[in-house]
Amino acid sequence: MIGPLRKTNSALRRLVLAGTTAMLAAFVAACGTDYFEIPIETPIQPKLDVTPFQRVLVIGFVAGGTDDVDANQETVRLLRSQLRTKSSLRVIDADVLPLIDIARDQSQGGNSDDSNGPRGEGSAPPRATNGNGDRPVQGVSLPANIKDEKDLEPYERLFANTAYWKRIGEEFQNPLIVTGTVLFANRSTSGFVQRDQETFDSLGRRRVMPMRTYMERKGFILRPKFVFIDGRTGATMYSESYREEILYNAQQNTPALSSYFELMDRLVPNFLSALSSQKIRGTRVLLK
Amino acid sequence: MNIRAVGIVASVALLAAVPASADAKKDAKSQVEFGINVAQRGLWREAIYRWEKATQIDPTYAAAYNDLAIGYEHEGQLDKARKAYEKALELDPNNSQVRQNYELFKEINDRTAQKDK
Protein backbone atom coordinates (compact mmCIF):
# COMPACT_ATOMS: atom_id res chain seq x y z
CA MET A 1 0.00 0.00 0.00
CA ILE A 2 2.80 2.37 1.01
CA GLY A 3 5.02 1.37 -1.88
CA PRO A 4 2.79 2.47 -4.80
CA LEU A 5 1.89 5.66 -2.96
CA ARG A 6 5.59 6.57 -2.53
CA LYS A 7 6.08 5.81 -6.22
CA THR A 8 3.17 8.08 -7.15
CA ASN A 9 4.54 10.90 -4.94
CA SER A 10 7.99 10.60 -6.48
CA ALA A 11 6.57 10.65 -10.00
CA LEU A 12 4.42 13.63 -9.13
CA ARG A 13 7.44 15.48 -7.70
CA ARG A 14 9.43 14.78 -10.87
CA LEU A 15 6.51 16.00 -12.94
CA VAL A 16 6.22 19.22 -10.92
CA LEU A 17 9.99 19.78 -11.16
CA ALA A 18 9.99 19.19 -14.91
CA GLY A 19 7.00 21.48 -15.28
CA THR A 20 8.66 24.24 -13.24
CA THR A 21 11.88 23.91 -15.23
CA ALA A 22 9.96 24.04 -18.50
CA MET A 23 8.02 27.08 -17.33
CA LEU A 24 11.24 28.80 -16.23
CA ALA A 25 12.88 28.03 -19.56
CA ALA A 26 9.83 29.31 -21.40
CA PHE A 27 9.85 32.44 -19.24
CA VAL A 28 13.56 33.11 -19.92
CA ALA A 29 13.07 32.46 -23.63
CA ALA A 30 10.07 34.76 -23.70
CA CYS A 31 11.90 37.52 -21.85
CA GLY A 32 15.14 37.07 -23.78
CA THR A 33 17.70 39.84 -23.45
CA ASP A 34 16.23 43.22 -22.79
CA TYR A 35 19.28 45.24 -23.77
CA PHE A 36 21.71 45.26 -26.68
CA GLU A 37 25.04 47.01 -26.87
CA ILE A 38 25.47 48.75 -30.18
CA PRO A 39 28.41 50.68 -31.61
CA ILE A 40 27.57 54.14 -32.90
CA GLU A 41 29.42 56.87 -34.78
CA THR A 42 28.24 60.36 -33.97
CA PRO A 43 29.02 62.89 -36.69
CA ILE A 44 30.07 66.21 -35.22
CA GLN A 45 29.68 69.32 -37.31
CA PRO A 46 32.60 71.77 -37.21
CA LYS A 47 32.22 74.60 -34.73
CA LEU A 48 33.36 77.06 -37.35
CA ASP A 49 31.99 77.72 -40.79
CA VAL A 50 35.15 77.29 -42.82
CA THR A 51 33.44 77.23 -46.20
CA PRO A 52 34.76 80.72 -47.15
CA PHE A 53 38.32 79.40 -46.80
CA GLN A 54 40.27 77.06 -48.98
CA ARG A 55 43.51 77.33 -47.05
CA VAL A 56 44.65 77.41 -43.46
CA LEU A 57 47.76 79.06 -42.07
CA VAL A 58 49.04 77.88 -38.69
CA ILE A 59 51.27 80.86 -38.17
CA GLY A 60 52.71 80.44 -34.68
CA PHE A 61 52.01 80.66 -30.98
CA VAL A 62 53.06 82.76 -28.04
CA ALA A 63 54.65 79.93 -26.08
CA GLY A 64 56.16 79.65 -22.62
CA GLY A 65 56.90 77.37 -19.73
CA THR A 66 59.74 74.90 -19.80
CA ASP A 67 62.74 75.46 -22.06
CA ASP A 68 62.96 71.74 -22.78
CA VAL A 69 60.41 71.99 -25.59
CA ASP A 70 59.99 74.73 -28.18
CA ALA A 71 56.21 74.75 -27.80
CA ASN A 72 55.78 77.26 -30.61
CA GLN A 73 57.58 75.16 -33.24
CA GLU A 74 56.23 71.84 -32.03
CA THR A 75 52.63 73.03 -31.87
CA VAL A 76 52.77 74.50 -35.37
CA ARG A 77 54.36 71.32 -36.73
CA LEU A 78 51.83 69.04 -35.04
CA LEU A 79 48.74 71.04 -36.01
CA ARG A 80 49.85 71.42 -39.61
CA SER A 81 50.42 67.69 -39.96
CA GLN A 82 47.04 66.91 -38.38
CA LEU A 83 45.25 69.40 -40.62
CA ARG A 84 46.93 67.96 -43.70
CA THR A 85 45.42 64.54 -43.09
CA LYS A 86 42.20 65.34 -41.26
CA SER A 87 40.85 68.49 -42.85
CA SER A 88 39.77 69.52 -46.30
CA LEU A 89 41.66 72.81 -46.06
CA ARG A 90 44.98 73.20 -47.80
CA VAL A 91 47.75 73.80 -45.28
CA ILE A 92 50.09 76.68 -46.05
CA ASP A 93 53.77 76.00 -45.40
CA ALA A 94 55.25 79.22 -44.14
CA ASP A 95 57.91 80.14 -41.63
CA VAL A 96 56.70 80.01 -38.06
CA LEU A 97 56.32 83.50 -36.62
CA PRO A 98 58.15 84.40 -33.40
CA LEU A 99 55.01 85.95 -31.94
CA ILE A 100 56.66 86.85 -28.63
CA ASP A 101 59.13 89.13 -30.43
CA ILE A 102 56.36 90.56 -32.56
CA ALA A 103 54.18 91.35 -29.56
CA ARG A 104 57.17 93.00 -27.86
CA ASP A 105 57.87 95.06 -30.99
CA GLN A 106 54.27 96.21 -30.99
CA SER A 107 54.31 97.05 -27.29
CA GLN A 108 57.46 99.15 -27.71
CA GLY A 109 55.95 101.18 -30.51
CA GLY A 110 57.19 98.68 -33.07
CA ASN A 111 59.43 99.18 -36.03
CA SER A 112 57.73 101.21 -38.67
CA ASP A 113 59.38 99.19 -41.37
CA ASP A 114 56.62 98.65 -43.86
CA SER A 115 58.93 97.19 -46.43
CA ASN A 116 57.54 93.69 -45.91
CA GLY A 117 55.54 93.39 -49.07
CA PRO A 118 53.52 90.35 -50.00
CA ARG A 119 55.67 87.24 -50.19
CA GLY A 120 55.07 83.82 -51.56
CA GLU A 121 54.44 80.67 -49.66
CA GLY A 122 57.41 79.44 -47.69
CA SER A 123 58.81 82.87 -47.03
CA ALA A 124 58.65 84.77 -43.77
CA PRO A 125 55.51 86.83 -43.32
CA PRO A 126 55.72 90.45 -42.26
CA ARG A 127 56.77 91.35 -38.78
CA ALA A 128 54.40 93.49 -36.79
CA THR A 129 54.36 97.05 -37.87
CA ASN A 130 52.33 99.95 -36.76
CA GLY A 131 52.34 101.61 -40.10
CA ASN A 132 48.54 101.51 -40.15
CA GLY A 133 48.32 103.35 -36.90
CA ASP A 134 47.01 100.30 -35.11
CA ARG A 135 48.76 100.01 -31.76
CA PRO A 136 46.65 97.97 -29.39
CA VAL A 137 49.51 96.47 -27.40
CA GLN A 138 51.56 99.59 -27.11
CA GLY A 139 52.51 100.70 -23.63
CA VAL A 140 51.89 97.31 -22.05
CA SER A 141 54.92 95.77 -20.40
CA LEU A 142 55.41 92.23 -21.58
CA PRO A 143 57.35 89.80 -19.39
CA ALA A 144 60.53 88.60 -21.08
CA ASN A 145 60.24 85.11 -19.64
CA ILE A 146 56.88 83.39 -19.85
CA LYS A 147 56.68 80.98 -16.95
CA ASP A 148 52.99 80.85 -16.12
CA GLU A 149 49.53 81.89 -17.28
CA LYS A 150 49.86 85.37 -15.77
CA ASP A 151 52.92 86.04 -17.92
CA LEU A 152 50.95 84.99 -21.00
CA GLU A 153 47.96 87.23 -20.38
CA PRO A 154 49.40 90.56 -21.65
CA TYR A 155 50.43 88.85 -24.88
CA GLU A 156 46.82 88.05 -25.73
CA ARG A 157 46.27 91.63 -26.88
CA LEU A 158 48.26 90.71 -29.95
CA PHE A 159 45.29 88.68 -31.23
CA ALA A 160 43.06 91.75 -31.12
CA ASN A 161 45.36 93.63 -33.51
CA THR A 162 43.08 93.22 -36.52
CA ALA A 163 45.20 95.40 -38.80
CA TYR A 164 48.21 93.16 -38.22
CA TRP A 165 46.30 89.94 -38.88
CA LYS A 166 44.56 91.42 -41.89
CA ARG A 167 47.94 92.24 -43.35
CA ILE A 168 49.11 88.68 -42.82
CA GLY A 169 45.87 87.48 -44.38
CA GLU A 170 46.47 89.61 -47.47
CA GLU A 171 49.98 88.24 -47.71
CA PHE A 172 48.69 84.68 -47.94
CA GLN A 173 45.53 85.37 -49.97
CA ASN A 174 43.03 85.41 -47.12
CA PRO A 175 43.39 82.06 -45.42
CA LEU A 176 41.98 81.00 -42.11
CA ILE A 177 44.71 81.88 -39.60
CA VAL A 178 45.38 79.68 -36.58
CA THR A 179 47.39 81.14 -33.74
CA GLY A 180 47.16 81.42 -29.95
CA THR A 181 49.14 80.75 -26.82
CA VAL A 182 50.72 77.57 -25.47
CA LEU A 183 51.99 77.08 -21.96
CA PHE A 184 53.89 73.87 -21.38
CA ALA A 185 55.34 73.90 -17.90
CA ASN A 186 56.79 71.60 -15.25
CA ARG A 187 54.49 70.60 -12.47
CA SER A 188 55.21 68.80 -9.23
CA THR A 189 52.83 67.79 -6.53
CA SER A 190 52.62 65.48 -3.55
CA GLY A 191 49.76 63.83 -1.76
CA PHE A 192 47.83 60.61 -1.32
CA VAL A 193 47.16 58.62 -4.43
CA GLN A 194 44.99 55.56 -4.86
CA ARG A 195 46.83 52.69 -6.53
CA ASP A 196 46.01 49.05 -7.18
CA GLN A 197 48.31 46.75 -5.25
CA GLU A 198 48.73 43.09 -6.10
CA THR A 199 48.84 40.67 -3.16
CA PHE A 200 48.94 36.87 -2.84
CA ASP A 201 47.31 35.01 0.04
CA SER A 202 48.63 31.88 1.74
CA LEU A 203 47.08 29.71 -0.98
CA GLY A 204 48.82 31.70 -3.68
CA ARG A 205 45.67 33.37 -4.92
CA ARG A 206 46.18 36.76 -6.53
CA ARG A 207 44.22 39.72 -5.26
CA VAL A 208 44.27 43.33 -6.33
CA MET A 209 43.51 45.80 -3.58
CA PRO A 210 43.17 49.59 -3.86
CA MET A 211 45.74 51.23 -1.58
CA ARG A 212 46.20 54.86 -0.67
CA THR A 213 49.84 55.82 -0.65
CA TYR A 214 51.64 59.11 -0.22
CA MET A 215 53.56 60.00 -3.35
CA GLU A 216 55.67 62.77 -4.71
CA ARG A 217 54.90 63.25 -8.34
CA LYS A 218 56.17 65.41 -11.12
CA GLY A 219 55.11 65.98 -14.66
CA PHE A 220 53.85 68.66 -16.99
CA ILE A 221 50.90 70.89 -17.57
CA LEU A 222 49.77 71.93 -21.04
CA ARG A 223 47.49 74.91 -21.45
CA PRO A 224 46.93 75.88 -25.07
CA LYS A 225 44.55 78.52 -26.37
CA PHE A 226 43.72 78.24 -30.04
CA VAL A 227 42.67 81.44 -31.77
CA PHE A 228 41.04 81.27 -35.21
CA ILE A 229 41.34 84.49 -37.20
CA ASP A 230 39.58 85.42 -40.42
CA GLY A 231 42.41 86.31 -42.79
CA ARG A 232 40.08 88.57 -44.81
CA THR A 233 39.25 90.88 -41.92
CA GLY A 234 41.85 90.14 -39.26
CA ALA A 235 39.10 89.56 -36.73
CA THR A 236 39.02 86.69 -34.29
CA MET A 237 36.32 84.21 -35.30
CA TYR A 238 36.59 81.83 -32.41
CA SER A 239 38.93 80.80 -29.63
CA GLU A 240 39.10 77.93 -27.22
CA SER A 241 41.32 77.07 -24.28
CA TYR A 242 42.23 73.70 -22.83
CA ARG A 243 44.11 72.38 -19.86
CA GLU A 244 45.71 68.99 -19.56
CA GLU A 245 48.27 67.62 -17.15
CA ILE A 246 50.27 64.48 -16.72
CA LEU A 247 52.03 63.35 -13.56
CA TYR A 248 54.56 60.60 -13.00
CA ASN A 249 56.27 59.08 -10.01
CA ALA A 250 59.01 61.53 -8.94
CA GLN A 251 61.68 58.87 -9.64
CA GLN A 252 60.48 58.34 -13.19
CA ASN A 253 62.32 60.30 -15.81
CA THR A 254 60.08 61.01 -18.78
CA PRO A 255 61.34 63.27 -21.58
CA ALA A 256 59.48 66.57 -21.81
CA LEU A 257 58.86 66.18 -25.54
CA SER A 258 57.11 62.82 -25.20
CA SER A 259 54.92 64.25 -22.43
CA TYR A 260 54.12 67.20 -24.66
CA PHE A 261 52.95 64.89 -27.45
CA GLU A 262 50.98 62.74 -25.04
CA LEU A 263 49.10 65.79 -23.77
CA MET A 264 48.58 67.23 -27.25
CA ASP A 265 47.20 63.88 -28.40
CA ARG A 266 44.32 64.36 -25.99
CA LEU A 267 43.55 67.84 -27.33
CA VAL A 268 43.98 67.44 -31.05
CA PRO A 269 40.49 65.94 -31.65
CA ASN A 270 38.97 69.00 -29.97
CA PHE A 271 41.09 71.31 -32.07
CA LEU A 272 40.13 69.49 -35.28
CA SER A 273 36.45 69.51 -34.39
CA ALA A 274 36.53 73.29 -34.68
CA LEU A 275 37.49 73.07 -38.35
CA SER A 276 36.26 69.82 -39.79
CA SER A 277 33.48 67.35 -39.21
CA GLN A 278 34.50 64.43 -37.06
CA LYS A 279 32.99 61.07 -36.25
CA ILE A 280 33.11 60.07 -32.64
CA ARG A 281 32.89 56.35 -32.01
CA GLY A 282 31.13 55.01 -28.94
CA THR A 283 28.83 52.32 -27.60
CA ARG A 284 25.28 52.69 -26.36
CA VAL A 285 22.70 50.34 -24.92
CA LEU A 286 19.44 49.78 -26.80
CA LEU A 287 16.52 48.70 -24.65
CA LYS A 288 13.44 46.60 -25.40
CA MET B 1 -32.51 52.06 -14.20
CA ASN B 2 -30.56 54.97 -15.61
CA ILE B 3 -27.74 54.42 -13.16
CA ARG B 4 -27.61 50.78 -14.14
CA ALA B 5 -27.43 51.73 -17.84
CA VAL B 6 -24.61 54.18 -17.21
CA GLY B 7 -22.80 51.54 -15.19
CA ILE B 8 -23.11 49.00 -17.99
CA VAL B 9 -21.89 51.48 -20.59
CA ALA B 10 -18.94 52.43 -18.40
CA SER B 11 -18.04 48.78 -17.78
CA VAL B 12 -18.18 48.00 -21.49
CA ALA B 13 -16.03 51.04 -22.28
CA LEU B 14 -13.51 50.01 -19.64
CA LEU B 15 -13.38 46.45 -20.85
CA ALA B 16 -12.89 47.65 -24.40
CA ALA B 17 -10.18 50.10 -23.39
CA VAL B 18 -8.03 47.62 -21.46
CA PRO B 19 -7.34 45.30 -24.40
CA ALA B 20 -6.86 48.31 -26.68
CA SER B 21 -4.17 49.70 -24.36
CA ALA B 22 -2.55 46.27 -24.05
CA ASP B 23 -2.57 45.95 -27.83
CA ALA B 24 -0.99 49.39 -28.18
CA LYS B 25 1.80 48.44 -25.79
CA LYS B 26 2.35 45.19 -27.65
CA ASP B 27 2.43 47.03 -30.96
CA ALA B 28 4.88 49.62 -29.60
CA LYS B 29 7.11 46.86 -28.29
CA SER B 30 7.14 45.09 -31.63
CA GLN B 31 8.10 48.39 -33.32
CA VAL B 32 10.97 48.81 -30.84
CA GLU B 33 12.15 45.26 -31.41
CA PHE B 34 12.03 45.69 -35.16
CA GLY B 35 13.97 48.95 -34.77
CA ILE B 36 16.67 47.20 -32.76
CA ASN B 37 16.87 44.47 -35.36
CA VAL B 38 17.40 46.87 -38.27
CA ALA B 39 19.76 49.14 -36.29
CA GLN B 40 21.97 46.12 -35.67
CA ARG B 41 22.15 45.72 -39.43
CA GLY B 42 23.08 49.37 -39.88
CA LEU B 43 19.69 50.58 -41.14
CA TRP B 44 19.47 53.50 -38.74
CA ARG B 45 16.89 55.58 -40.61
CA GLU B 46 14.43 52.69 -40.65
CA ALA B 47 15.19 52.11 -36.96
CA ILE B 48 14.48 55.75 -36.15
CA TYR B 49 11.19 55.53 -38.04
CA ARG B 50 10.18 52.48 -36.02
CA TRP B 51 11.16 54.02 -32.68
CA GLU B 52 9.34 57.24 -33.52
CA LYS B 53 6.27 55.16 -34.30
CA ALA B 54 6.66 53.30 -30.99
CA THR B 55 6.72 56.58 -29.04
CA GLN B 56 3.60 57.73 -30.90
CA ILE B 57 1.77 54.51 -30.10
CA ASP B 58 2.88 54.47 -26.47
CA PRO B 59 4.13 57.85 -25.24
CA THR B 60 5.02 56.33 -21.85
CA TYR B 61 7.52 53.82 -23.30
CA ALA B 62 10.88 54.93 -21.87
CA ALA B 63 12.94 52.32 -23.75
CA ALA B 64 11.55 53.56 -27.08
CA TYR B 65 12.69 57.11 -26.26
CA ASN B 66 16.11 55.79 -25.21
CA ASP B 67 16.53 53.92 -28.50
CA LEU B 68 15.25 56.88 -30.47
CA ALA B 69 17.81 59.11 -28.75
CA ILE B 70 20.59 56.70 -29.76
CA GLY B 71 19.32 56.74 -33.33
CA TYR B 72 19.30 60.54 -33.43
CA GLU B 73 22.77 60.58 -31.91
CA HIS B 74 24.04 58.27 -34.61
CA GLU B 75 22.54 60.57 -37.25
CA GLY B 76 24.14 63.66 -35.66
CA GLN B 77 20.76 65.17 -34.66
CA LEU B 78 22.01 66.08 -31.22
CA ASP B 79 19.18 68.40 -30.17
CA LYS B 80 16.58 65.75 -30.89
CA ALA B 81 18.74 63.15 -29.14
CA ARG B 82 18.97 65.27 -25.99
CA LYS B 83 15.20 65.77 -25.89
CA ALA B 84 14.58 62.04 -26.36
CA TYR B 85 17.06 61.09 -23.62
CA GLU B 86 15.47 63.60 -21.27
CA LYS B 87 12.03 62.19 -22.01
CA ALA B 88 13.29 58.63 -21.38
CA LEU B 89 14.74 59.72 -18.04
CA GLU B 90 11.58 61.59 -17.14
CA LEU B 91 9.58 58.38 -17.71
CA ASP B 92 12.11 56.09 -16.05
CA PRO B 93 14.42 58.18 -13.83
CA ASN B 94 16.01 55.16 -12.13
CA ASN B 95 17.09 53.37 -15.28
CA SER B 96 20.87 53.23 -15.00
CA GLN B 97 21.36 52.22 -18.64
CA VAL B 98 19.44 55.21 -19.96
CA ARG B 99 21.38 57.43 -17.57
CA GLN B 100 24.69 55.96 -18.72
CA ASN B 101 23.76 56.50 -22.38
CA TYR B 102 22.79 60.08 -21.56
CA GLU B 103 26.06 60.77 -19.73
CA LEU B 104 28.06 59.50 -22.71
CA PHE B 105 25.92 61.59 -25.04
CA LYS B 106 26.45 64.71 -22.94
CA GLU B 107 30.22 64.29 -23.19
CA ILE B 108 29.95 64.49 -26.98
CA ASN B 109 27.35 67.22 -26.93
CA ASP B 110 29.55 69.40 -24.71
CA ARG B 111 32.33 69.16 -27.26
CA THR B 112 30.14 70.60 -29.96
CA ALA B 113 28.95 73.51 -27.87
CA GLN B 114 30.70 76.71 -28.87
CA LYS B 115 32.34 77.94 -25.75
CA ASP B 116 35.59 79.42 -24.65
CA LYS B 117 36.61 77.27 -21.70
Side-chain angles (χ1 to χ4, degrees):
Chain A
M1 196 60 188
I2 293 168
L5 186 67
R6 218 180 255 166
K7 223 178 202 174
T8 315
N9 275 348
S10 166
L12 194 71
R13 205 177 297 143
R14 267 205 301 269
L15 199 70
V16 168
L17 201 71
T20 314
T21 312
M23 270 168 67
L24 246 167
F27 179 74
V28 169
C31 291
T33 319
D34 279 345
Y35 61 90
F36 304 86
E37 274 203 6
I38 193 156
I40 64 162
E41 280 189 352
T42 310
I44 302 291
Q45 294 307 309
K47 293 172 199 164
L48 281 174
D49 177 17
V50 293
T51 45
F53 306 100
Q54 269 111 51
R55 308 186 319 146
V56 58
L57 172 65
V58 186
I59 194 78
F61 292 85
V62 176
T66 176
D67 294 331
D68 297 340
V69 172
D70 184 342
N72 181 19
Q73 291 283 343
E74 296 300 343
T75 307
V76 169
R77 223 176 286 168
L78 179 69
L79 296 186
R80 281 183 185 173
S81 89
Q82 289 290 321
L83 286 167
R84 262 187 212 108
T85 53
K86 289 169 186 155
S87 128
S88 55
L89 294 165
R90 206 184 125 207
V91 179
I92 299 172
D93 275 315
D95 290 346
V96 179
L97 280 189
L99 287 183
I100 293 179
D101 299 343
I102 289 165
R104 281 210 201 106
D105 274 2
Q106 290 188 7
S107 77
Q108 287 158 13
N111 61 52
S112 55
D113 172 19
D114 240 345
S115 61
N116 296 296
R119 295 167 190 207
E121 223 170 276
S123 63
R127 298 281 292 242
T129 67
N130 291 320
N132 292 349
D134 191 279
R135 302 174 181 205
V137 289
Q138 215 172 331
V140 177
S141 69
L142 298 174
N145 257 346
I146 299 170
K147 290 289 166 205
D148 54 31
E149 285 159 35
K150 261 191 180 169
D151 295 338
L152 267 178
E153 252 171 48
Y155 283 92
E156 296 212 1
R157 289 162 184 258
L158 173 66
F159 308 119
N161 188 345
T162 50
Y164 173 67
W165 294 110
K166 194 178 174 194
R167 207 159 45 248
I168 289 192
E170 281 165 5
E171 179 110 2
F172 290 96
Q173 290 142 34
N174 306 327
L176 171 68
I177 300 169
V178 179
T179 180
T181 60
V182 180
L183 184 77
F184 180 65
N186 290 303
R187 176 157 158 71
S188 57
T189 182
S190 56
F192 283 95
V193 184
Q194 188 159 311
R195 304 172 75 194
D196 286 339
Q197 192 158 326
E198 193 182 46
T199 54
F200 292 90
D201 64 13
S202 55
L203 297 169
R205 287 178 299 200
R206 179 181 171 270
R207 293 180 75 188
V208 178
M209 300 280 286
M211 302 282 283
R212 279 173 65 79
T213 46
Y214 184 83
M215 270 180 76
E216 282 191 6
R217 297 188 300 165
K218 62 174 189 176
F220 298 93
I221 179 170
L222 179 66
R223 204 172 189 329
K225 178 179 182 178
F226 302 116
V227 179
F228 300 88
I229 294 173
D230 186 334
R232 299 165 301 176
T233 61
T236 298
M237 295 168 72
Y238 175 60
S239 71
E240 56 186 10
S241 303
Y242 297 100
R243 186 189 185 281
E244 287 288 341
E245 70 170 39
I246 192 162
L247 292 166
Y248 312 98
N249 192 324
Q251 281 80 47
Q252 196 176 328
N253 202 6
T254 310
L257 193 59
S258 75
S259 297
Y260 166 83
F261 283 116
E262 198 172 335
L263 293 172
M264 275 304 274
D265 251 13
R266 299 180 195 169
L267 299 174
V268 163
N270 290 318
F271 166 78
L272 290 172
S273 70
L275 299 172
S276 54
S277 56
Q278 303 281 305
K279 278 200 169 175
I280 298 176
R281 290 201 179 114
T283 308
R284 299 288 182 273
V285 179
L286 292 170
L287 302 173
K288 259 192 195 175
Chain B
M1 187 70 183
N2 274 349
I3 294 169
R4 193 177 290 173
V6 169
I8 289 165
V9 168
S11 304
V12 168
L14 192 72
L15 283 171
V18 170
S21 162
D23 279 354
K25 281 193 190 300
K26 203 176 160 191
D27 192 16
K29 196 171 166 93
S30 71
Q31 293 291 343
V32 163
E33 283 172 358
F34 191 87
I36 291 172
N37 197 301
V38 290
Q40 284 172 326
R41 286 186 278 143
L43 304 168
W44 284 93
R45 291 216 177 135
E46 178 64 21
I48 287 172
Y49 172 75
R50 297 291 171 173
W51 294 327
E52 276 174 345
K53 219 168 164 188
T55 59
Q56 283 159 13
I57 297 167
D58 182 4
T60 64
Y61 196 175
Y65 281 102
N66 170 76
D67 298 354
L68 185 57
I70 294 169
Y72 285 145
E73 214 185 328
H74 185 82
E75 292 296 297
Q77 299 179 40
L78 302 187
D79 270 349
K80 282 185 171 180
R82 184 177 46 76
K83 280 178 194 156
Y85 274 129
E86 283 170 0
K87 184 73 184 172
L89 280 171
E90 185 192 312
L91 294 167
D92 191 359
N94 299 321
N95 192 315
S96 59
Q97 280 163 328
V98 177
R99 193 159 290 280
Q100 189 190 326
N101 284 336
Y102 185 47
E103 291 301 322
L104 291 167
F105 160 76
K106 276 203 293 187
E107 249 177 59
I108 291 177
N109 200 37
D110 289 350
R111 276 200 214 176
T112 63
Q114 280 214 12
K115 60 181 179 184
D116 197 354
K117 284 193 269 176

